[in-house]
Coordinates of all heavy atoms in Angstrom, one line a residue:
M1 N 113.9 91.2 107.8 CA 114.1 90.9 106.4 C 115.2 91.7 105.9 O 115.3 92.9 106.1 CB 112.8 91.2 105.7 CG 112.9 91.1 104.2 SD 111.3 91.6 103.3 CE 111.3 93.4 103.6
I2 N 116.1 91.0 105.1 CA 117.2 91.7 104.4 C 116.6 92.5 103.2 O 116.0 91.9 102.3 CB 118.3 90.8 104.0 CG1 118.9 90.1 105.2 CG2 119.4 91.5 103.2 CD1 119.6 91.0 106.2
V3 N 116.9 93.8 103.2 CA 116.5 94.6 102.1 C 117.6 94.8 101.0 O 117.4 94.6 99.9 CB 116.0 96.0 102.6 CG1 115.7 96.9 101.4 CG2 114.8 95.9 103.5
C4 N 118.8 95.1 101.5 CA 119.9 95.3 100.7 C 120.9 94.1 100.9 O 121.5 94.0 101.9 CB 120.6 96.6 101.0 SG 122.1 96.9 100.0
H5 N 121.0 93.3 99.9 CA 121.8 92.1 100.0 C 123.3 92.4 99.8 O 124.2 91.7 100.4 CB 121.4 91.0 99.0 CG 120.0 90.5 99.3 ND1 119.9 89.4 100.2 CD2 118.8 90.9 99.0 CE1 118.6 89.2 100.3 NE2 117.9 90.0 99.6
C6 N 123.6 93.5 99.1 CA 125.0 93.8 98.9 C 125.7 94.3 100.2 O 126.8 94.0 100.5 CB 125.2 95.0 97.9 SG 124.8 94.5 96.2
N7 N 124.9 95.0 101.0 CA 125.4 95.5 102.3 C 124.8 94.9 103.5 O 125.0 95.3 104.6 CB 125.1 97.0 102.4 CG 125.9 97.8 101.4 OD1 127.1 97.8 101.4 ND2 125.2 98.4 100.4
T8 N 123.9 93.9 103.3 CA 123.2 93.2 104.4 C 122.5 94.2 105.3 O 122.8 94.2 106.5 CB 124.2 92.3 105.2 OG1 125.1 91.7 104.3 CG2 123.4 91.2 106.0
I9 N 121.7 95.0 104.7 CA 120.9 96.0 105.5 C 119.5 95.4 105.6 O 118.8 95.1 104.7 CB 120.9 97.3 104.8 CG1 122.3 97.9 104.7 CG2 120.0 98.3 105.6 CD1 122.4 99.2 103.9
S10 N 119.0 95.4 106.9 CA 117.6 94.9 107.1 C 116.6 96.0 107.2 O 117.0 97.2 107.3 CB 117.6 94.1 108.4 OG 117.8 95.0 109.5
D11 N 115.3 95.7 107.0 CA 114.3 96.7 107.2 C 114.3 97.3 108.5 O 114.0 98.5 108.7 CB 112.9 96.0 106.8 CG 112.6 94.9 107.8 OD1 113.5 94.3 108.3 OD2 111.4 94.6 107.9
H12 N 114.7 96.6 109.5 CA 114.7 97.1 110.9 C 115.8 98.2 111.0 O 115.6 99.3 111.6 CB 115.0 96.0 111.9 CG 115.2 96.5 113.3 ND1 114.2 96.9 114.1 CD2 116.4 96.7 114.0 CE1 114.7 97.3 115.3 NE2 116.0 97.2 115.2
E13 N 117.0 98.0 110.3 CA 118.0 99.0 110.4 C 117.6 100.3 109.6 O 117.9 101.4 110.0 CB 119.3 98.4 109.7 CG 120.0 97.4 110.6 CD 121.1 96.7 109.8 OE1 120.9 96.1 108.8 OE2 122.2 96.8 110.4
I14 N 116.9 100.1 108.5 CA 116.4 101.3 107.7 C 115.5 102.1 108.6 O 115.6 103.3 108.7 CB 115.8 100.8 106.4 CG1 116.8 100.2 105.5 CG2 115.1 102.0 105.7 CD1 116.2 99.5 104.3
R15 N 114.5 101.4 109.2 CA 113.5 102.1 110.1 C 114.2 102.8 111.2 O 113.9 104.0 111.6 CB 112.5 101.2 110.6 CG 111.4 100.9 109.5 CD 110.2 100.2 110.1 NE 109.7 99.2 109.2 CZ 110.0 97.9 109.2 NH1 110.6 97.4 110.2 NH2 109.6 97.1 108.3
A16 N 115.2 102.2 111.8 CA 115.9 102.7 113.0 C 116.7 104.0 112.5 O 116.7 105.0 113.2 CB 116.8 101.7 113.6
A17 N 117.3 103.9 111.3 CA 118.1 105.0 110.8 C 117.2 106.2 110.5 O 117.5 107.4 110.8 CB 118.9 104.6 109.5
V18 N 116.0 105.9 109.9 CA 115.1 107.0 109.6 C 114.6 107.7 110.9 O 114.5 108.9 111.0 CB 113.9 106.5 108.7 CG1 112.8 107.5 108.7 CG2 114.3 106.1 107.3
D19 N 114.2 106.9 111.9 CA 113.8 107.4 113.1 C 114.9 108.2 113.8 O 114.6 109.3 114.4 CB 113.3 106.3 114.1 CG 112.0 105.6 113.6 OD1 111.3 106.2 112.8 OD2 111.7 104.5 114.1
W20 N 116.1 107.7 113.8 CA 117.2 108.4 114.4 C 117.4 109.8 113.7 O 117.6 110.8 114.3 CB 118.5 107.6 114.3 CG 119.7 108.3 114.8 CD1 120.1 108.5 116.1 CD2 120.7 108.9 114.0 NE1 121.2 109.2 116.1 CE2 121.6 109.5 114.8 CE3 120.9 109.0 112.6 CZ2 122.7 110.2 114.4 CZ3 122.0 109.7 112.1 CH2 122.9 110.3 113.0
M21 N 117.4 109.8 112.3 CA 117.6 111.1 111.6 C 116.5 112.1 111.9 O 116.7 113.3 112.0 CB 117.7 110.8 110.1 CG 119.1 110.3 109.7 SD 119.2 110.2 107.9 CE 118.5 108.6 107.6
R22 N 115.2 111.6 112.0 CA 114.1 112.5 112.2 C 114.2 113.0 113.7 O 114.0 114.2 113.9 CB 112.8 111.7 112.1 CG 111.6 112.6 112.3 CD 111.5 113.8 111.4 NE 111.3 113.4 110.0 CZ 111.8 114.1 109.0 NH1 112.5 115.2 109.2 NH2 111.6 113.8 107.8
A23 N 114.7 112.2 114.6 CA 114.8 112.7 116.0 C 116.0 113.7 116.1 O 115.9 114.7 116.8 CB 115.0 111.5 116.9
A24 N 117.0 113.5 115.3 CA 118.2 114.4 115.4 C 117.9 115.7 114.7 O 118.4 116.7 115.2 CB 119.4 113.7 114.7
D25 N 117.1 115.7 113.6 CA 116.8 116.9 112.9 C 115.4 116.9 112.3 O 115.2 116.2 111.3 CB 117.8 117.2 111.8 CG 117.6 118.5 111.1 OD1 116.6 119.3 111.5 OD2 118.4 118.9 110.2
P26 N 114.4 117.5 113.0 CA 113.0 117.4 112.5 C 112.8 118.0 111.2 O 111.8 117.7 110.5 CB 112.2 118.1 113.6 CG 113.1 118.3 114.7 CD 114.5 118.2 114.3
D27 N 113.7 118.9 110.7 CA 113.5 119.6 109.4 C 114.3 119.0 108.2 O 114.2 119.5 107.2 CB 113.9 121.0 109.6 CG 113.1 121.8 110.6 OD1 111.9 121.4 110.8 OD2 113.6 122.7 111.2
T28 N 114.9 117.9 108.4 CA 115.7 117.3 107.4 C 114.9 116.5 106.4 O 113.9 115.9 106.8 CB 116.9 116.5 107.9 OG1 117.8 116.2 106.9 CG2 116.4 115.2 108.5
L29 N 115.4 116.5 105.1 CA 114.8 115.6 104.1 C 115.6 114.3 104.2 O 116.8 114.3 104.2 CB 114.9 116.2 102.7 CG 113.9 117.2 102.3 CD1 114.2 117.6 100.9 CD2 112.5 116.6 102.3
I30 N 114.9 113.2 104.3 CA 115.6 111.9 104.5 C 115.5 111.2 103.2 O 114.5 110.9 102.6 CB 114.9 111.1 105.6 CG1 115.0 111.8 106.9 CG2 115.6 109.7 105.7 CD1 114.2 111.2 108.0
T31 N 116.7 110.9 102.6 CA 116.9 110.3 101.3 C 117.5 108.9 101.5 O 118.2 108.7 102.6 CB 117.7 111.1 100.4 OG1 119.1 111.2 100.9 CG2 117.2 112.5 100.2
P32 N 117.4 108.0 100.5 CA 118.1 106.7 100.7 C 119.6 106.9 100.9 O 120.2 106.2 101.6 CB 117.8 106.0 99.3 CG 116.5 106.6 98.9 CD 116.6 108.1 99.4
G33 N 120.2 107.9 100.2 CA 121.7 108.1 100.4 C 122.0 108.5 101.8 O 123.0 108.0 102.3
K34 N 121.2 109.3 102.4 CA 121.4 109.6 103.8 C 121.3 108.4 104.7 O 122.0 108.3 105.7 CB 120.5 110.7 104.3 CG 120.8 112.1 103.7 CD 119.8 113.1 104.2 CE 120.2 114.5 103.7 NZ 119.2 115.5 104.2
V35 N 120.3 107.5 104.4 CA 120.2 106.3 105.2 C 121.4 105.5 105.1 O 121.9 104.9 106.1 CB 118.9 105.6 104.8 CG1 118.8 104.2 105.6 CG2 117.7 106.4 105.1
Y36 N 121.9 105.3 103.9 CA 123.1 104.5 103.7 C 124.3 105.1 104.5 O 125.0 104.4 105.1 CB 123.5 104.5 102.2 CG 122.9 103.3 101.4 CD1 121.8 103.6 100.6 CD2 123.3 102.0 101.6 CE1 121.2 102.6 99.9 CE2 122.8 101.0 100.9 CZ 121.7 101.3 100.0 OH 121.1 100.2 99.3
R37 N 124.4 106.4 104.4 CA 125.5 107.1 105.1 C 125.4 106.9 106.6 O 126.3 106.7 107.3 CB 125.6 108.5 104.7 CG 126.7 108.8 103.7 CD 126.7 110.2 103.3 NE 125.7 110.3 102.2 CZ 125.1 111.3 101.8 NH1 125.3 112.5 102.4 NH2 124.2 111.3 100.9
A38 N 124.1 107.0 107.1 CA 123.9 106.9 108.5 C 124.3 105.5 109.0 O 124.7 105.3 110.1 CB 122.4 107.2 108.9
L39 N 124.1 104.5 108.1 CA 124.5 103.1 108.4 C 125.9 102.8 108.2 O 126.4 101.7 108.4 CB 123.6 102.1 107.7 CG 122.1 102.2 108.0 CD1 121.3 101.4 107.1 CD2 121.8 101.8 109.5
G40 N 126.7 103.8 107.6 CA 128.1 103.6 107.4 C 128.3 102.8 106.2 O 129.4 102.1 106.1
K41 N 127.4 102.8 105.2 CA 127.5 101.9 104.0 C 127.3 102.7 102.8 O 126.8 103.9 102.8 CB 126.6 100.7 104.1 CG 126.8 99.9 105.4 CD 126.0 98.8 105.5 CE 126.4 98.0 106.8 NZ 125.7 96.8 107.1
R42 N 127.6 102.1 101.6 CA 127.3 102.8 100.3 C 126.6 101.8 99.4 O 126.9 100.6 99.4 CB 128.7 103.1 99.7 CG 129.5 104.0 100.5 CD 130.8 104.2 99.8 NE 130.7 105.1 98.7 CZ 131.6 105.5 97.9 NH1 132.9 105.1 98.1 NH2 131.4 106.3 96.9
P43 N 125.6 102.3 98.6 CA 124.9 101.4 97.7 C 125.9 100.8 96.7 O 126.9 101.5 96.3 CB 123.9 102.2 97.1 CG 124.3 103.6 97.3 CD 125.2 103.7 98.5
D44 N 125.7 99.6 96.2 CA 126.5 99.0 95.3 C 125.8 98.8 93.9 O 126.0 99.6 93.0 CB 127.0 97.6 95.8 CG 128.1 97.0 94.9 OD1 128.6 97.7 94.0 OD2 128.5 95.9 95.2
C45 N 124.9 97.8 93.8 CA 124.3 97.5 92.6 C 123.0 98.3 92.4 O 122.6 98.6 91.3 CB 123.9 96.0 92.5 SG 122.6 95.5 93.6
G46 N 122.4 98.8 93.5 CA 121.2 99.6 93.4 C 119.9 98.8 93.2 O 118.8 99.3 93.1
G47 N 120.0 97.5 93.1 CA 118.9 96.6 92.9 C 117.9 96.6 94.0 O 116.7 96.3 93.8
C48 N 118.3 97.1 95.2 CA 117.4 97.1 96.3 C 116.6 98.4 96.4 O 115.7 98.5 97.3 CB 118.2 96.9 97.6 SG 119.4 98.3 97.8
L49 N 116.9 99.4 95.6 CA 116.3 100.7 95.9 C 114.8 100.7 95.9 O 114.2 101.4 96.7 CB 116.8 101.7 94.9 CG 118.2 102.3 95.3 CD1 118.7 103.3 94.3 CD2 118.1 102.9 96.7
P50 N 114.1 100.0 95.0 CA 112.6 100.0 95.1 C 112.1 99.5 96.4 O 111.3 100.1 97.1 CB 112.2 99.0 93.9 CG 113.3 99.1 92.9 CD 114.5 99.3 93.7
L51 N 112.7 98.4 96.9 CA 112.3 97.8 98.2 C 112.8 98.7 99.3 O 112.1 98.9 100.4 CB 112.8 96.4 98.4 CG 112.4 95.7 99.7 CD1 110.9 95.7 99.8 CD2 113.0 94.3 99.7
F52 N 114.0 99.3 99.2 CA 114.5 100.3 100.1 C 113.6 101.4 100.3 O 113.3 101.9 101.4 CB 115.9 100.7 99.6 CG 116.8 101.2 100.7 CD1 117.8 100.4 101.2 CD2 116.7 102.6 101.1 CE1 118.7 100.9 102.2 CE2 117.6 103.1 102.1 CZ 118.6 102.2 102.6
L53 N 113.1 102.0 99.2 CA 112.2 103.1 99.2 C 110.9 102.7 99.9 O 110.3 103.5 100.6 CB 112.0 103.7 97.8 CG 113.1 104.5 97.3 CD1 112.9 104.8 95.8 CD2 113.3 105.8 98.1
D54 N 110.4 101.6 99.5 CA 109.1 101.1 100.1 C 109.2 101.0 101.6 O 108.3 101.3 102.4 CB 108.7 99.8 99.5 CG 108.1 99.9 98.1 OD1 107.7 101.0 97.7 OD2 107.9 98.9 97.4
T55 N 110.4 100.5 102.1 CA 110.6 100.3 103.5 C 110.7 101.7 104.2 O 110.1 101.9 105.2 CB 111.9 99.6 103.8 OG1 111.9 98.3 103.1 CG2 112.2 99.4 105.2
M56 N 111.3 102.7 103.5 CA 111.4 104.0 104.0 C 110.0 104.6 104.1 O 109.6 105.3 105.1 CB 112.3 104.9 103.2 CG 113.8 104.6 103.3 SD 114.8 105.6 102.2 CE 114.4 107.3 102.9
R57 N 109.2 104.4 103.1 CA 107.8 105.0 103.0 C 107.0 104.4 104.1 O 106.0 105.1 104.6 CB 107.2 104.7 101.7 CG 107.7 105.6 100.6 CD 107.0 105.4 99.3 NE 107.7 106.0 98.2 CZ 108.2 105.3 97.1 NH1 108.1 104.0 97.1 NH2 108.9 105.9 96.2
G58 N 107.3 103.3 104.6 CA 106.5 102.6 105.7 C 106.8 103.2 107.1 O 106.2 102.9 108.0
C59 N 107.8 104.1 107.1 CA 108.2 104.7 108.4 C 107.3 105.9 108.7 O 107.1 106.7 107.9 CB 109.7 105.2 108.4 SG 110.9 103.9 108.1
D60 N 106.8 105.9 110.0 CA 105.9 107.0 110.4 C 106.6 108.3 110.4 O 106.0 109.4 110.2 CB 105.3 106.7 111.8 CG 104.4 105.5 111.7 OD1 103.8 105.2 110.6 OD2 104.2 104.9 112.8
S61 N 108.0 108.3 110.7 CA 108.7 109.5 110.8 C 109.3 110.0 109.6 O 110.1 111.0 109.6 CB 109.8 109.3 111.9 OG 110.7 108.3 111.5
L62 N 109.0 109.5 108.4 CA 109.6 109.9 107.2 C 109.1 111.2 106.6 O 109.7 111.8 105.8 CB 109.4 108.8 106.1 CG 110.2 109.1 104.8 CD1 111.7 109.1 105.0 CD2 109.8 108.1 103.7
G63 N 107.9 111.6 107.0 CA 107.2 112.8 106.4 C 108.1 113.9 106.1 O 109.1 114.2 106.7
V64 N 107.7 114.6 105.0 CA 108.4 115.8 104.5 C 108.1 117.0 105.5 O 106.9 117.2 105.8 CB 108.0 116.2 103.1 CG1 108.6 117.4 102.6 CG2 108.4 115.0 102.2
P65 N 109.1 117.8 105.9 CA 108.9 118.9 106.8 C 107.8 119.8 106.2 O 107.8 120.1 104.9 CB 110.2 119.6 106.9 CG 111.2 118.5 106.7 CD 110.6 117.6 105.6
M66 N 107.0 120.4 107.0 CA 105.9 121.3 106.5 C 106.4 122.4 105.6 O 105.7 122.7 104.6 CB 105.2 121.8 107.8 CG 103.9 122.6 107.4 SD 102.7 121.6 106.5 CE 102.1 120.6 107.8
Q67 N 107.5 123.0 106.0 CA 108.0 124.2 105.2 C 108.5 123.8 103.8 O 108.6 124.6 102.9 CB 109.0 125.0 105.9 CG 110.3 124.3 106.1 CD 110.4 123.5 107.4 OE1 109.4 123.2 107.9 NE2 111.6 123.2 107.9
L68 N 108.7 122.5 103.5 CA 109.2 122.0 102.2 C 108.0 121.4 101.4 O 108.3 121.0 100.3 CB 110.3 121.0 102.4 CG 111.5 121.5 103.1 CD1 112.5 120.4 103.3 CD2 112.1 122.7 102.3
R69 N 106.9 121.3 102.0 CA 105.7 120.8 101.2 C 105.2 121.8 100.2 O 105.2 123.0 100.5 CB 104.6 120.4 102.1 CG 105.0 119.2 103.0 CD 103.9 118.8 103.9 NE 104.4 117.7 104.8 CZ 103.7 117.2 105.8 NH1 102.5 117.6 106.0 NH2 104.2 116.3 106.5
G70 N 104.8 121.3 99.1 CA 104.1 122.2 98.1 C 105.1 123.1 97.3 O 104.7 124.0 96.6
L71 N 106.4 122.8 97.4 CA 107.4 123.6 96.7 C 107.2 123.5 95.1 O 107.2 124.5 94.4 CB 108.8 123.2 97.0 CG 109.3 123.6 98.4 CD1 110.7 123.2 98.7 CD2 109.2 125.1 98.6
R72 N 106.9 122.3 94.7 CA 106.8 122.1 93.2 C 105.5 122.8 92.8 O 105.5 123.5 91.8 CB 106.7 120.6 92.9 CG 106.5 120.4 91.4 CD 106.4 118.9 91.1 NE 106.4 118.7 89.7 CZ 107.3 118.0 89.1 NH1 108.1 117.3 89.7 NH2 107.2 117.9 87.8
R73 N 104.4 122.7 93.6 CA 103.2 123.3 93.2 C 103.4 124.8 93.2 O 102.9 125.5 92.2 CB 102.1 123.0 94.2 CG 100.7 123.4 93.8 CD 99.6 122.8 94.8 NE 100.0 121.8 95.6 CZ 100.2 121.9 97.0 NH1 99.9 123.0 97.6 NH2 100.5 120.8 97.7
A74 N 104.1 125.4 94.1 CA 104.3 126.8 94.2 C 105.1 127.3 93.0 O 104.9 128.4 92.5 CB 105.0 127.2 95.5
A75 N 106.1 126.5 92.6 CA 107.0 126.9 91.5 C 106.3 126.9 90.2 O 106.6 127.6 89.3 CB 108.2 125.9 91.5
T76 N 105.3 126.0 90.0 CA 104.6 125.9 88.8 C 103.4 126.8 88.6 O 102.8 127.0 87.5 CB 104.2 124.4 88.5 OG1 103.3 124.0 89.6 CG2 105.4 123.5 88.4
Q77 N 102.9 127.4 89.7 CA 101.8 128.2 89.7 C 102.2 129.5 89.0 O 103.2 130.0 89.2 CB 101.2 128.5 91.0 CG 100.4 127.4 91.6 CD 99.9 127.7 93.0 OE1 100.3 128.6 93.6 NE2 99.0 126.8 93.4
G78 N 101.3 130.0 88.2 CA 101.6 131.3 87.5 C 101.8 131.1 86.0 O 101.0 131.6 85.2
N79 N 102.8 130.3 85.6 CA 103.0 130.2 84.1 C 102.4 128.9 83.6 O 102.3 128.8 82.4 CB 104.5 130.4 83.7 CG 105.4 129.4 84.5 OD1 104.9 128.3 84.9 ND2 106.6 129.7 84.5
G80 N 102.2 127.9 84.4 CA 101.6 126.7 84.0 C 102.4 125.7 83.1 O 102.0 124.7 82.7
H81 N 103.7 126.0 82.9 CA 104.5 125.1 82.1 C 105.8 124.7 82.8 O 106.8 124.3 82.1 CB 104.7 125.6 80.7 CG 105.4 126.9 80.6 ND1 106.7 127.1 80.9 CD2 104.9 128.1 80.3 CE1 107.0 128.4 80.8 NE2 105.9 129.0 80.4
E82 N 105.9 124.7 84.1 CA 107.1 124.3 84.8 C 108.4 124.8 84.4 O 109.4 124.2 84.5 CB 107.1 122.7 84.8 CG 105.9 122.1 85.4 CD 106.0 120.6 85.4 OE1 107.0 120.0 84.9 OE2 105.0 120.0 85.9
G83 N 108.4 126.0 83.8 CA 109.6 126.7 83.5 C 110.2 126.3 82.1 O 111.2 126.8 81.7
R84 N 109.6 125.3 81.4 CA 110.1 124.9 80.1 C 109.6 125.8 79.1 O 108.6 126.4 79.2 CB 109.7 123.5 79.8 CG 110.4 122.4 80.6 CD 109.9 121.1 80.3 NE 108.8 120.9 81.2 CZ 107.8 120.1 81.0 NH1 107.7 119.4 80.0 NH2 106.8 120.0 81.9
Q85 N 110.5 126.0 78.1 CA 110.0 126.8 77.0 C 109.0 126.1 76.1 O 109.1 124.8 76.1 CB 111.2 127.2 76.1 CG 112.2 128.1 76.8 CD 113.4 128.4 76.0 OE1 113.5 128.0 74.8 NE2 114.3 129.2 76.5
E86 N 108.2 126.8 75.5 CA 107.1 126.1 74.7 C 107.7 125.2 73.6 O 107.1 124.2 73.3 CB 106.2 127.2 74.1 CG 104.8 126.7 73.9 CD 103.8 127.8 73.7 OE1 103.7 128.7 74.6 OE2 103.1 127.8 72.7
S87 N 108.8 125.6 73.1 CA 109.4 124.8 72.0 C 109.8 123.4 72.4 O 110.1 122.5 71.6 CB 110.6 125.5 71.4 OG 111.6 125.7 72.3
H88 N 110.0 123.2 73.8 CA 110.4 121.9 74.3 C 109.2 121.0 74.5 O 109.4 119.8 74.9 CB 111.2 122.1 75.6 CG 112.5 122.7 75.3 ND1 113.7 122.0 75.3 CD2 112.8 124.0 75.1 CE1 114.6 122.9 75.0 NE2 114.1 124.1 74.9
R89 N 108.0 121.4 74.3 CA 106.9 120.6 74.5 C 106.7 119.5 73.4 O 107.0 119.8 72.3 CB 105.6 121.4 74.6 CG 105.6 122.2 75.9 CD 104.3 123.0 76.0 NE 104.3 123.6 77.3 CZ 103.2 124.2 77.8 NH1 102.1 124.2 77.1 NH2 103.2 124.7 79.0
I90 N 106.1 118.4 73.8 CA 105.9 117.4 72.8 C 104.6 117.8 72.0 O 103.6 118.2 72.6 CB 105.6 116.0 73.5 CG1 106.9 115.6 74.2 CG2 105.1 115.0 72.5 CD1 106.7 114.4 75.1
S91 N 104.7 117.8 70.7 CA 103.6 118.2 69.9 C 102.5 117.2 69.9 O 102.8 116.0 70.1 CB 104.0 118.5 68.4 OG 104.5 117.3 67.9
Q92 N 101.3 117.6 69.8 CA 100.2 116.7 69.9 C 99.7 116.3 68.5 O 99.6 116.9 67.6 CB 99.0 117.3 70.7 CG 99.5 117.5 72.1 CD 98.4 118.2 72.9 OE1 97.3 118.3 72.5 NE2 98.7 118.5 74.2
Ligands
FES101 S1 121.2 95.1 96.9 FE1 121.5 97.0 97.8 S2 123.1 97.9 96.7 FE2 122.9 95.9 95.9

């Protein structure tokens, strides 16, 4: 199935690129931009990104490396407001 019509990228090519990147570097974060680069292409209209991401999420090897998991949770623990000043909060 063609996922990106601008660049004629299929779901098979996306899965192969994700598997190849994971095999080459088990600790890397795999993003759509990296997949495009691995395929030697660049996104054009961006209309395929929702389906592109869904295809990537379907890959068994896409997982986030263990040492990068929970970073957001760790950053927000302690003050409870994600680093924003209280004046930036939406009033209730
Ligand atoms: S359909 Fe993928 S960039 Fe346009």
Side-chain angles (χ1 to χ4, degrees):
M1 173 182 71
I2 297 296
V3 173
C4 177
H5 291 274
C6 293
N7 292 295
T8 320
I9 298 173
S10 69
D11 58 336
H12 175 76
E13 290 173 300
I14 294 169
R15 283 193 215 100
V18 168
D19 291 343
W20 175 78
M21 282 188 273
R22 180 59 66 216
D25 185 357
D27 297 332
T28 191
L29 278 179
I30 299 172
T31 64
K34 288 182 177 179
V35 173
Y36 272 105
R37 263 177 274 156
L39 296 172
K41 301 182 178 184
R42 301 175 73 179
D44 188 8
C45 72
C48 61
L49 279 179
L51 183 56
F52 202 98
L53 286 167
D54 282 347
T55 304
M56 288 177 64
R57 286 185 192 116
C59 297
D60 293 335
S61 59
L62 185 66
V64 175
M66 188 58 76
Q67 67 270 21
L68 298 177
R69 293 183 186 174
L71 290 178
R72 183 181 185 125
R73 191 174 342 112
T76 59
Q77 283 179 345
N79 58 19
H81 57 71
E82 299 181 358
R84 284 176 276 156
Q85 296 178 359
E86 205 162 306
S87 62
H88 291 258
R89 290 185 171 187
I90 297 172
S91 61
Q92 295 180 6

